Amino acid sequence: MAAPRIVVTRRIPEPALELLREGSELWVSGEDRPLETAELHAAVAGADAVVTLLHDRVDDAFLDAAGPQLRSVSNVAVGYDNIDVPAASARGVLVTNTPGVLTEATADIALGLILAATRRLGEGERLIRSGAPWSWHMFFMLGSGLQGKTLGIVGLGGIGRAVARRARAFGMEIAYFARNRAPEEVEAELSARPLGFEELLAEADVLSLHCPLSEETRHLIDAGALRAMKPSAYLVNTARGPIVDEAALVEALRSGEIAGAGLDVFEREPEVEPGLIELENAVLVPHLGSATEETRTAMAELAARNALAIAAGEPALTPVNAGQLKET
Ligand code: GLV
């Protein structure tokens, strides 16, 4: 049997490329930037498997460009809102993602943002670097403590739970809103209280988002939701930018409707709403959730193993749409 043709749309860590080189006829983009749509479509033509990054749009046009021999799309990310999964399923194309391997790294960034926002770390750093005079005094740059406060988690999957575990170590109480109630043992381990969405907004001292982006969750945090939060509360988003209405968030931060925000993701990434940049009470980092050497390597290796397994006719390790595929 001829080696499968596997296309990787942007440079990924070498151990994953080595795996792919051994088991396929590999093409990797030489560009260290997202491919333009026309380049992407030209690159995937004739591929049996494509390893995609979260900025690659996989839609009908992509699938048409790839051709009917395409068997799989392996996203190097846990989120797969860049992929039209029903369109892939309709063509018998298996989609895979990288759950699990980035859980701890992403939870670390969420905690980092919680601390940075509530303790004004970005603001303090900017102050020192500005050269402005300062001195310790009783009322200088006071933030908000976490002990005894309520962390409201939207989406209690792997990452939400890992954030809750960390927050417990900081003395926080856990409440959550999720589409499906978490198993009893998870609620018990985290002392996590399930709440309705409105109740969670009203009770959370810090609201941290850990749900996927879907039509249901797009702008879940809009002007109304921000208004329902406490004026002393903080919003943290390490999930996907469009879950938050960024223009409404700027207004809420500006007017003191909420106290602050920590954002790792943006609505029109890599563009950042200009209003956010002017605000001292917004901590902004450039989508670093999974950005550790170890995690990025593990993500890329998992995507590579998925692509190779499917090409060899074996079950995928972490499929998204198994069982939904149309036979082609
Ligand atoms: C990163 O944002 C991911 O979804 O893995």
Side-chain angles (χ1 to χ4, degrees), residues 122-134 140-141:
E123 207 181 328
E125 241 250 337
R126 283 191 294 280
L127 178 86
I128 296 230
R129 287 181 188 279
S130 75
W134 64 277
F140 180 54
M141 259 204 188

Side-chain angles (χ1 to χ4, degrees), residues 48-51 70-74 92-96 306-307 310-311:
D48 298 301
V50 184
V51 175
L70 183 71
R71 290 274 67 86
S72 69
V73 172
S74 293
V93 173
L94 197 51
V95 174
T96 67
N306 270 307
I310 297 163

Side-chain angles (χ1 to χ4, degrees), residues 240-270:
R240 283 291 182 267
I243 299 171
V244 176
D245 178 342
E246 236 167 54
L249 177 61
V250 168
E251 268 321 297
L253 289 169
R254 217 179 248 155
S255 64
E257 229 160 56
I258 65 169
L263 307 175
D264 185 40
V265 288
F266 301 91
E267 201 175 346
R268 286 172 296 281
E269 228 170 280

Side-chain angles (χ1 to χ4, degrees), residues 132-167:
W134 64 277
S135 76
W136 188 98
H137 68 82
M138 278 311 246
F139 308 101
F140 180 54
M141 259 204 188
L142 302 190
S144 174
L146 298 179
Q147 295 69 33
K149 301 283 174 62
T150 297
L151 174 65
I153 296 187
V154 177
L156 199 64
I159 299 173
R161 292 174 199 183
V163 172
R165 269 181 217 116
R166 284 159 175 73

Side-chain angles (χ1 to χ4, degrees), residues 114-323:
I114 293 173
L115 288 167
T118 56
R119 300 301 301 276
R120 304 172 65 173
L121 299 184
E123 207 181 328
E125 241 250 337
R126 283 191 294 280
L127 178 86
I128 296 230
R129 287 181 188 279
S130 75
W134 64 277
S135 76
W136 188 98
H137 68 82
M138 278 311 246
F139 308 101
F140 180 54
M141 259 204 188
L142 302 190
S144 174
L146 298 179
Q147 295 69 33
K149 301 283 174 62
T150 297
L151 174 65
I153 296 187
V154 177
L156 199 64
I159 299 173
R161 292 174 199 183
V163 172
R165 269 181 217 116
R166 284 159 175 73
R168 294 284 296 157
F170 281 81
M172 298 191 83
E173 309 289 333
I174 310 298
Y176 76 96
F177 167 75
R179 214 173 16 176
N180 301 310
R181 191 161 169 178
E184 238 171 76
E185 60 276 16
V186 171
E187 286 188 359
E189 181 211 338
L190 303 171
S191 304
R193 280 182 303 136
L195 291 178
F197 183 56
E198 293 298 326
E199 288 171 303
L200 190 76
L201 292 173
E203 283 199 29
D205 295 299
V206 176
L207 188 75
S208 195
L209 308 179
H210 301 289
C211 54
L213 171 63
S214 65
E215 279 325 300
E216 223 178 309
T217 62
R218 187 175 297 274
H219 281 195
L220 180 68
I221 306 299
D222 59 6
L226 290 160
R227 217 172 297 126
M229 290 172 69
K230 296 179 188 175
S232 54
Y234 296 81
L235 174 71
V236 169
N237 189 7
T238 53
R240 283 291 182 267
I243 299 171
V244 176
D245 178 342
E246 236 167 54
L249 177 61
V250 168
E251 268 321 297
L253 289 169
R254 217 179 248 155
S255 64
E257 229 160 56
I258 65 169
L263 307 175
D264 185 40
V265 288
F266 301 91
E267 201 175 346
R268 286 172 296 281
E269 228 170 280
E271 228 179 273
V272 177
E273 175 78 27
L276 279 174
I277 293 177
E278 291 159 18
L279 289 166
E280 286 289 8
N281 57 350
V283 178
L284 312 171
V285 294
H287 206 147
L288 299 179
S290 62
T292 68
E293 295 277 353
E294 300 85 347
T295 299
R296 286 286 162 81
T297 302
M299 291 164 69
E301 283 184 345
L302 179 53
R305 288 187 199 284
N306 270 307
L308 290 168
I310 297 163
E314 293 159 14
L317 286 83
T318 48
V320 165
N321 60 342

Side-chain angles (χ1 to χ4, degrees), residues 76-79 98-108 159 289-290 295 298-299:
V76 190
V78 66
T98 61
V101 291
L102 47 71
T103 299
E104 305 301 328
T106 308
D108 287 345
I159 299 173
S290 62
T295 299
M299 291 164 69

